[in-house]
């Protein structure tokens, strides 16, 4: 075996599985990546991204010094490459950023600033970011990409049980008896989790029910595949619940002990027969009955879902319909059961936990609660924290379009790839007076920036990520940073001190941290669920599942053994709303969007890794019968148009797509699929309806 200078244990920077990695380092570079056999959650397994995709860290286009736009304030904002910026010292760039932010506060008010924190950054980065935004700028306009992926899961689960976290640990997948995978192409989005799920089927005889319009790889392992029409999820789950109640398969004792509003819910299911659902969803009634019985009669049953459930104009209802079914059958509070939204980004769980949302302090403590506010004001040594929940990602874009927000601070996000209806989103972006970016590369959003502050990726800093099953794990500095790039929380800390001074605020003393571990300690002192977690403990144990209220507590791999955070689980009466964009003769296909195995979200990292050679360009996945009817061949160049824009791609013929439905990945700036998607939002979660846009396809030259 080849010898390397050192090996550093850390956590994968891509998806929410949170795989543990051993980075082999030679001469300041990552030369190979392996997975420790004895460490949760992946126990020796990695996907292509974790094993081969971390070379982006050493890409020559990393930003090495602070940058300032050459034609600053010259009128119309246009995207520029590196040549459009000049290098600056940290002092000059931070001073300018502080000047712009403090001027915005003084002249327009704090709520004229919109801020984006990052699900790729550490918990410590997020904590300092939101402390600055809330404690110094005094606005709650802070949000991140969770709004665009699982906001509806959060809204639905909060309403049903009072907690939006994944209820069970990845390690429990081996205990599954029956499980549903819905709205998640797990093999490509959470590859290591998919190996555990497949193992549950193949080795343990667990029964898998896939509920998904697409014929995903897991369908091949499923006892049942309910291939419903896009956007009809609620009808499937309501009909399953109807079967459970009609055939008296519900868990009466659980319902009596642990839930409320059952009678109203039961009544609402009358008439919602599998036959009615068949007419709405296209799934045979007999399959719905079989799935309902299989789930209800299981000893232990869990549901795993992804963005196919949440990225919908009725995503909150989709989530509630799943939660209703779990409450009905009592499949919560035991190992191998539960409600499990598979979180996308490596630290999207942690970014929300650490306060990167507009209405909450760290630990989901409401900004509107006077007692909570007092606690944070005392600890942070500040006054006048805003009690008004801030704006969400897309509301900030709306406000920018109207001129109500004119300054953006963006740390590690790429809204110019991730927002729906990109052509409109760009117009809003172009109207901003100042855009300050903290990032590792000049991506599609950075190209519009005024001040670029060079940050560092996972391999160049210490801190923690919290994975999809609430396990807080360490990342460790393994290689030096290029040029003058700095750790995100240190950049924000320096910026905070300068803004504090420019605003004439009394020094809070709250931005003098020397290490990520110190930052965590302050946060854990304010968040009861983190009270027993420290960097030192994670270093010893490998990871700790929150809630973990004190050092003697073992952590909590599965939740809700005795109660739900809201007390009793709430059954919600649902209408089967079907509004979304429909196909027409002009736009005859429904477009769904998502991730593929070899890439990550906006592509900022994987498009700069060796993985890009394997999957270098966008495709539009089309059913063979549709392709034959249209006369398209594999690899043919086509234009894909919606009512909002047109992009170019290549045909990929595959039975994964049902007839009439096409799929495109979200990763390619050359074919930005969000130019096609629409900004229609779930009314509660404010998440856009990414999965259902009507498009037409035509041969391109
Ligand atoms: Fe990284 Fe996710 Fe792949 Fe694990 S499954 S190696 S966390 S991308």
């Amino acid at each position: 075996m080849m010898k390397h200078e050192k090996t550093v244990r850390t956590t994968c920077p891509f998806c929410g599985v949170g795989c543990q990695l051993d980075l082999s380092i030679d001469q300041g570079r990552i030369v190979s990546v392996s997975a420790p056999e004895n460490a949760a959650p992946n126990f020796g397994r990695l996907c292509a991204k974790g094993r081969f995709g971390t070379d982006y860290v050493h890409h020559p286009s990393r930003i090495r010094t602070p940058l300032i736009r050459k034609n600053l304030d010259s009128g119309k904002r246009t995207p520029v490459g590196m040549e459009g910026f000049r290098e600056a010292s940290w002092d000059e760039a931070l001073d300018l950023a502080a000047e712009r932010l403090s001027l915005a506060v003084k002249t327009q008010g704090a709520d004229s600033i919109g801020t984006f924190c990052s699900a790729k950054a550490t918990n410590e980065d997020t904590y300092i970011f939101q402390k600055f935004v809330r404690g110094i700028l005094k606005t709650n306009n802070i949000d991140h990409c969770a709004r665009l992926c699982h906001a509806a899961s959060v809204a639905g689960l909060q309403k049903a049980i009072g907690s939006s976290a994944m209820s069970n640990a990845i390690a429990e997948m081996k205990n599954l008896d029956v499980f549903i995978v819905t709205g998640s192409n797990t093999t490509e989005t959470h590859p290591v989790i998919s190996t555990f799920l497949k193992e549950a089927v193949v080795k343990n005889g667990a029964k898998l029910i896939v509920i998904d319009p697409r014929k995903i790889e897991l369908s091949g392992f499923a006892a049942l595949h309910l291939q419903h029409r896009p956007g009809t999820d609620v009808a499937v789950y309501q009909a399953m619940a109807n079967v459970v109640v009609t055939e008296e398969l519900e868990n009466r004792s659980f319902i009596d002990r642990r839930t409320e509003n059952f009678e109203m819910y039961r009544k609402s299911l009358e008439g919602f027969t599998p036959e009615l659902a068949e007419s709405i969803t296209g799934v045979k009634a007999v399959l719905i009955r079989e799935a309902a019985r299989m789930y209800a009669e299981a000893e232990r049953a869990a549901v795993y879902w992804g963005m196919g459930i949440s990225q919908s104009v009725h995503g909150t209802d989709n989530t509630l319909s799943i939660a209703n079914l779990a409450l009905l059958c009592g499949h919560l509070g035991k190992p191998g059961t539960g409600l499990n939204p598979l979180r996308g980004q490596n630290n999207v769980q942690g970014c929300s936990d650490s306060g990167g949302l507009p209405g909450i302090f760290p630990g989901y403590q409401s900004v509107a609660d006077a007692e909570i506010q007092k606690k944070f004001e005392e600890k942070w040594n500040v006054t006048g924290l805003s009690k008004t929940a801030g704006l969400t990602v897309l509301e900030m874009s709306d406000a920018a379009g109207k001129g109500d927000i004119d300054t953006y601070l963006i740390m590690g996000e790429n809204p110019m790839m991730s927002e729906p209806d990109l052509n409109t989103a760009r117009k809003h972006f172009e109207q901003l007076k100042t855009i300050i970016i903290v990032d590792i590369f000049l991506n599609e959003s950075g190209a519009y920036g005024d001040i670029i502050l060079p940050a560092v990726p996972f391999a160049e800093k210490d801190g923690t990520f919290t994975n999809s099953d609430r396990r807080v794990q360490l990342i460790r500095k393994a290689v030096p940073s290029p040029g003058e790039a700095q750790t995100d929380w240190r950049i924000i800390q320096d910026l905070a001190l300068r803004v504090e001074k420019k605003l004439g605020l009394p020094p809070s003393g709250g931005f003098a941290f020397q290490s990520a571990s110190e930052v965590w300690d302050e946060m854990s002192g304010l968040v009861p669920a983190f009270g027993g977690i420290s960097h030192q403990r994670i270093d010893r144990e490998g990871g700790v599942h929150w809630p973990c209220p004190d050092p003697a507590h073992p952590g909590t791999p599965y939740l809700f053994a005795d109660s739900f955070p809201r007390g009793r689980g709430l059954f919600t009466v649902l209408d089967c709303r079907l509004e979304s964009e429909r196909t027409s003769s002009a736009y005859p296909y429904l477009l769904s969007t998502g991730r593929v195995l070899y890439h990550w979200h906006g592509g900022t990292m994987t498009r700069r890794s060796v993985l890009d050679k394997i999957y270098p360009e966008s495709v539009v996945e089309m059913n063979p019968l549709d392709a034959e009817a249209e006369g398209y061949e594999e690899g043919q160049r086509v234009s894909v148009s919606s009512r909002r824009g047109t992009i170019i791609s290549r045909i990929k013929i595959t039975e994964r797509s049902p007839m009439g439905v096409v799929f495109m990945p979200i990763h390619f700036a050359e074919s930005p699929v969000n130019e096609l998607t629409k900004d229609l939002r779930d009314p509660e979660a404010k998440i856009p309806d990414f999965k259902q846009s009507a498009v037409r396809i035509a041969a391109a030259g």
Side-chain angles (χ1 to χ4, degrees):
M1 199 168 159
M2 222 166 124
K3 272 254 179 244
H4 298 290
E5 275 168 21
K6 62 176 177 179
T7 302
V8 179
R9 173 74 48 90
T10 190
T11 304
C12 180
F14 290 106
C15 91
V17 181
C19 291
Q20 292 301 284
L21 311 179
D22 283 340
L23 305 181
S24 296
I25 309 296
D26 261 340
Q27 298 179 19
R29 295 178 72 86
I30 304 167
V31 292
S32 65
V33 179
S34 58
E37 294 286 337
N38 56 354
N42 48 317
F43 296 102
R45 302 173 191 202
L46 289 178
C47 78
K49 288 187 287 290
R51 190 158 318 262
F52 303 113
T54 59
D55 56 336
Y56 75 88
V57 165
H58 305 302
H59 196 273
S61 66
R62 281 282 303 279
I63 311 169
R64 303 168 69 89
T65 63
L67 302 170
I68 294 175
R69 180 177 276 260
K70 282 179 185 162
N71 65 347
L72 199 61
D73 304 328
S74 66
K76 186 166 163 45
R77 181 179 296 285
T78 50
V80 292
M82 289 295 268
E83 71 290 345
F85 294 91
R86 66 174 173 83
E87 291 187 359
S89 68
W90 272 110
D91 248 353
E92 184 190 5
L94 283 169
D95 250 351
L96 181 61
E99 184 61 39
R100 294 296 175 107
L101 289 165
S102 53
L103 192 68
V105 172
K106 284 185 204 160
T107 57
Q108 309 281 112
D111 290 339
S112 70
I113 299 172
T115 74
F116 296 66
C117 51
S118 174
K120 297 230 80 64
T122 63
N123 292 319
E124 294 76 8
D125 294 329
T126 306
Y127 177 78
I128 293 292
F129 188 95
Q130 62 84 46
K131 183 178 180 180
F132 164 54
V133 169
R134 298 198 155 97
I136 304 298
L137 296 178
K138 306 274 169 52
T139 178
N140 286 317
N141 287 345
I142 171 172
D143 205 4
H144 70 285
C145 68
R147 184 69 47 199
L148 305 178
C149 62
H150 267 300
S153 308
V154 172
L157 290 177
Q158 285 289 347
K159 185 168 178 182
I161 54 179
S163 165
S164 54
M166 190 164 148
S167 44
N168 291 61
I170 293 164
E172 291 165 37
M173 288 172 182
K174 63 179 182 300
N175 295 321
L176 291 166
D177 180 8
V178 167
F179 63 105
I180 295 173
V181 173
T182 183
S184 161
N185 182 8
T186 322
T187 313
E188 305 217 24
T189 57
H190 298 80
V192 165
I193 281 185
S194 82
T195 68
F196 290 117
L197 293 178
K198 285 187 257 188
E199 199 170 289
V201 174
V202 174
K203 279 200 182 161
N204 305 348
K207 291 194 185 105
L208 164 61
I209 304 164
V210 170
I211 302 179
D212 201 296
R214 295 175 76 210
K215 194 170 173 188
I216 56 173
E217 196 235 11
L218 281 181
S219 310
F221 292 78
L224 299 173
H225 180 190
L226 279 55
Q227 204 169 2
H228 59 300
R229 293 187 185 113
T232 63
D233 309 76
V234 170
V236 173
Y237 290 100
Q238 291 275 93
M240 284 174 71
N242 169 290
V243 174
V244 172
V245 170
T246 308
E247 299 187 6
E248 297 182 357
L249 300 174
E250 73 269 24
N251 185 333
R252 260 339 287 203
S253 135
F254 185 90
I255 291 167
D256 291 346
R257 283 183 295 113
R258 304 277 309 262
T259 71
E260 59 183 298
N261 206 31
F262 173 64
E263 274 312 312
M264 286 258 277
Y265 172 63
R266 191 185 59 74
K267 268 199 162 344
S268 76
L269 296 172
E270 283 171 12
F272 216 107
T273 61
E275 285 70 24
L276 174 64
E278 179 175 333
S279 69
I280 298 168
T281 66
V283 179
K284 294 268 176 253
V286 64
L287 272 183
I288 295 175
R289 286 202 167 83
E290 218 180 316
R293 290 172 192 142
M294 197 177 276
Y295 177 79
E297 290 174 345
E299 180 67 27
R300 295 174 302 277
V303 189
Y304 299 91
W305 71 90
M307 295 191 285
I309 288 295
S310 60
Q311 285 181 333
S312 161
V313 68
H314 28 78
T316 303
D317 285 358
N318 291 347
T319 306
L320 284 165
S321 68
I322 294 170
N324 281 339
L325 187 65
L327 291 170
L328 189 62
C329 300
H331 287 320
L332 283 157
K334 291 184 292 190
T337 64
L339 290 164
N340 297 294
L342 298 169
R343 308 308 296 263
Q345 297 275 12
N346 56 317
N347 197 37
V348 70
Q349 180 67 52
C351 190
S352 300
D353 300 345
S354 307
L357 293 170
I360 53 150
F361 290 112
Y364 303 93
Q365 301 175 86
S366 171
V367 296
D369 184 314
E371 278 304 303
I372 301 284
Q373 187 185 40
K374 191 160 161 257
K375 175 170 96 169
F376 277 87
E377 282 184 345
E378 282 175 9
K379 183 70 187 176
W380 291 352
N381 192 25
V382 297
T383 55
L385 294 180
S386 170
K387 271 199 188 136
T388 312
L391 300 179
T392 62
V393 163
L394 295 179
E395 287 171 338
M396 288 193 267
S397 175
D398 297 342
K402 286 189 260 171
D404 294 340
I405 280 183
D406 64 11
T407 304
Y408 264 13
L409 169 62
I410 302 173
M411 178 177 81
E413 287 263 311
N414 192 1
M416 290 300 94
M417 278 291 282
S418 57
E419 291 192 358
D421 187 7
L422 262 183
N423 287 315
T424 304
R426 280 192 200 114
K427 287 193 187 105
H428 296 174
F429 215 58
E430 284 163 6
Q431 287 179 48
L432 292 162
K433 274 197 197 136
T434 302
I435 300 176
I436 303 162
I437 302 276
V438 183
D439 216 317
I440 58 175
F441 293 111
L442 191 70
N443 59 24
E444 292 69 28
S445 303
Y448 285 89
D450 295 307
I451 305 160
I452 314 288
L453 305 172
V456 302
F458 82 112
E460 296 168 16
K461 60 185 174 186
D462 296 318
T464 54
F465 292 158
T466 306
N467 79 346
S468 192
D469 71 2
R470 296 167 286 103
R471 186 176 159 93
V472 189
Q473 307 184 117
L474 286 178
I475 61 165
R476 297 177 175 89
K477 184 173 166 69
V479 293
S481 302
E484 298 170 28
Q486 261 296 352
T487 305
D488 306 51
W489 67 262
R490 289 188 188 274
I491 297 171
I492 300 299
Q493 175 162 278
D494 200 340
L495 183 61
L497 288 169
R498 290 168 198 251
V499 175
E500 191 177 58
K501 206 164 168 190
K502 284 187 193 292
L503 287 175
L505 298 171
S508 65
F511 295 94
F513 297 100
Q514 296 299 315
S515 68
S517 162
E518 278 181 26
V519 178
W520 175 272
D521 288 345
E522 179 171 300
M523 176 160 64
S524 66
L526 287 159
V527 178
F530 296 164
I533 306 177
S534 64
H535 281 212
Q536 296 73 21
R537 178 170 175 185
I538 304 171
D539 194 36
R540 284 195 308 276
E541 298 181 15
V544 184
H545 289 94
W546 69 257
C548 177
D550 60 69
H553 192 284
T556 313
Y558 69 91
L559 299 172
F560 321 133
D562 304 312
S563 65
F564 299 112
R566 74 173 299 281
R568 285 175 171 259
L570 177 69
F571 284 107
T572 305
V573 172
L574 297 170
D575 284 333
C576 182
R577 298 187 295 116
L578 295 172
E579 73 270 24
S580 182
E581 197 165 55
R582 296 277 153 214
T583 53
S584 63
S585 53
Y587 297 97
Y589 291 97
L590 268 188
L591 167 71
S592 178
T593 66
R595 299 198 294 265
V596 299
L597 177 62
Y598 295 104
H599 281 290
W600 193 253
H601 284 229
T604 300
M605 301 186 325
T606 49
R607 297 299 309 281
R608 292 172 174 87
S609 93
V610 69
L611 298 172
D612 199 47
K613 291 193 168 54
I614 300 171
Y615 202 127
E617 62 180 349
S618 164
V619 295
V620 48
E621 294 188 359
M622 181 177 255
N623 184 277
L625 295 175
D626 285 334
E628 193 185 341
E630 300 273 6
Y632 293 139
E633 290 174 2
E634 179 77 10
Q636 183 170 343
R637 261 167 65 86
V638 289
S639 67
V640 187
S641 305
S642 75
R643 292 180 175 90
R644 294 154 292 279
T646 296
I647 61 174
I648 300 294
S649 186
R650 285 188 191 279
I651 290 286
K652 183 177 177 63
I653 300 172
T654 167
E655 287 185 350
R656 266 199 297 270
S657 283
M659 282 186 73
V661 176
V662 295
F663 171 86
M664 293 187 76
I666 58 177
H667 319 293
F668 297 92
E670 311 88 308
S671 304
V673 74
N674 279 325
E675 288 192 6
L676 308 180
T677 56
K678 65 191 181 303
D679 188 2
L680 184 65
R681 300 172 201 169
D682 177 283
E684 284 182 61
K686 319 263 175 81
I687 189 169
D689 196 34
F690 282 118
K691 299 290 190 198
Q692 219 173 320
S693 307
V695 296
R696 69 164 169 262
I697 298 170

